[in-house]
């Protein structure tokens, strides 16, 4: 059972544009929602994370929007740069288990 | 330097052989995790350990084994029972009671 669904699988954006990646979850016990960035051949790196008590969190050009009632959260990459070209994964976990359940990933290509 | 190291970076195995992947961390984290990543897919949890001498199966534990004899080490053995072992293997660690996980650089295993 896939508990975190991520879309789209890939997207192409022009330099300076906005990249938007969406995730939906099923388990209402989830209370921690991180986003990871992965470059080819490397391990994922934590980018930004949010908890359900806030609806939005911003760090630099990266923003997470969270909709608890819809059980959805999204990553917005503002002013996208070629260096942002990578695969992005959303994930979710709950405090008790500490296990992360990952979405399927989105490959982002930023064209110069 | 603090961090998570995985070795080797590339590993080749003949069918029917067991192979052990190394994961070491000097971040003083209590919890450690092993994930498997297949091309174009998300990460799937194999095993995790929240304390020395204890570990739990993840979603795809069949054909794998682990040990946690030291806090800083969490080796993964891919046994001959694993039918499709070719994949990218990622180790992660985190503080028990916190959700953040930090990943190592990965080991790419290829079965010849």
């Amino acid at each position: 059972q896939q508990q975190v669904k991520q879309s789209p699988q890939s997207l192409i954006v022009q330099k300076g544009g906005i990249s938007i990646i969406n995730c939906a979850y099923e388990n209402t016990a989830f209370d921690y929602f991180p986003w990871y960035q992965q470059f080819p051949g490397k391990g994922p790196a934590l980018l930004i994370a949010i908890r359900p008590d806030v609806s939005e969190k911003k760090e630099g050009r990266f923003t997470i929007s969270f909709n608890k009632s819809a059980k959805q959260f999204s990553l917005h990459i503002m002013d996208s740069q070629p260096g942002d070209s990578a695969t992005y994964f959303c994930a979710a976990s709950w405090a008790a288990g500490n296990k992360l359940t990952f979405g399927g990933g989105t490959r982002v290509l930023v064209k110069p | 330097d603090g961090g998570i190291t995985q070795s080797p970076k590339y590993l080749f195995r003949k069918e029917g052989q067991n192979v052990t992947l190394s994961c070491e961390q000097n971040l003083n984290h209590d919890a450690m995790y092993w994930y498997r990543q297949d091309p174009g897919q998300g990460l799937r949890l194999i095993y995790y350990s929240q304390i020395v001498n204890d570990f739990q199966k993840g979603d795809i534990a069949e054909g794998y084994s682990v040990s946690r004899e030291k806090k800083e080490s969490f080796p993964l053995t891919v046994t001959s029972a694993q039918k499709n072992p070719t994949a990218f293997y990622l180790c992660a660690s985190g503080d028990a009671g916190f959700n953040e996980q930090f990943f190592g650089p990965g080991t790419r295993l290829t079965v010849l």
Side-chain angles (χ1 to χ4, degrees):
Chain A
Q1 179 187 11
Q2 184 181 3
Q3 293 186 315
V4 179
K5 295 184 178 181
Q6 184 172 345
S7 63
Q9 288 186 311
S10 64
L11 68 92
I12 300 174
V13 62
Q14 292 295 127
K15 178 181 176 183
I18 302 174
S19 304
I20 302 174
I21 307 170
N22 300 299
C23 283
Y25 63 96
E26 300 169 1
N27 189 342
T28 55
F30 287 146
D31 65 356
Y32 172 74
F33 303 90
W35 285 90
Y36 283 84
Q37 179 189 59
Q38 185 181 32
F39 294 104
K42 306 294 184 182
L46 181 63
L47 194 60
I48 186 173
I50 197 169
R51 294 191 181 273
D53 53 345
V54 297
S55 60
E56 186 175 282
K57 182 176 182 179
K58 183 177 180 179
E59 289 185 4
R61 295 184 293 108
F62 300 91
T63 299
I64 298 180
S65 297
F66 185 80
N67 186 329
K68 187 174 182 178
S69 61
K71 294 188 288 185
Q72 294 177 348
F73 59 109
S74 61
L75 176 70
H76 294 229
I77 307 174
M78 313 300 287
D79 188 26
S80 297
Q81 300 296 311
D84 297 331
S85 297
T87 300
Y88 293 81
F89 293 95
C90 64
S93 75
W94 66 96
N98 280 345
K99 297 183 293 181
L100 281 173
T101 299
F102 282 85
T106 297
R107 181 173 292 185
V108 174
L109 175 63
V110 181
K111 288 193 169 183
Chain B
D1 289 339
I4 305 170
T5 57
Q6 293 186 241
S7 61
K9 186 173 178 64
Y10 299 97
L11 188 56
F12 298 90
R13 188 195 94 176
K14 293 182 179 179
E15 282 191 21
Q17 290 181 336
N18 292 355
V19 64
T20 297
L21 282 59
S22 170
C23 178
E24 303 277 333
Q25 55 97 2
N26 61 4
L27 300 169
N28 201 34
H29 286 163
D30 295 301
M32 297 187 74
Y33 311 81
W34 274 105
Y35 293 88
R36 170 182 171 139
Q37 184 175 29
D38 293 286
Q41 296 189 31
L43 284 70
R44 293 182 291 169
L45 183 65
I46 304 173
Y47 269 98
Y48 65 107
S49 167
Q50 294 181 312
I51 194 170
V52 174
N53 293 323
D54 188 45
F55 48 83
Q56 288 78 41
K57 293 182 178 180
D59 301 319
I60 56 166
E62 185 176 353
Y64 300 98
S65 66
V66 294
S67 64
R68 186 84 188 277
E69 297 177 0
K70 298 185 297 182
K71 185 176 184 178
E72 59 270 22
S73 178
F74 191 40
L76 173 74
T77 296
V78 184
T79 75
S80 57
Q82 170 52 235
K83 298 305 180 186
N84 186 23
T86 294
F88 190 45
Y89 290 88
L90 289 157
C91 177
S93 71
D95 280 322
F98 293 88
N99 299 91
E100 290 85 355
Q101 292 184 20
F102 302 91
F103 284 83
T107 292
R108 187 168 299 281
L109 173 64
T110 302
V111 174
L112 303 174

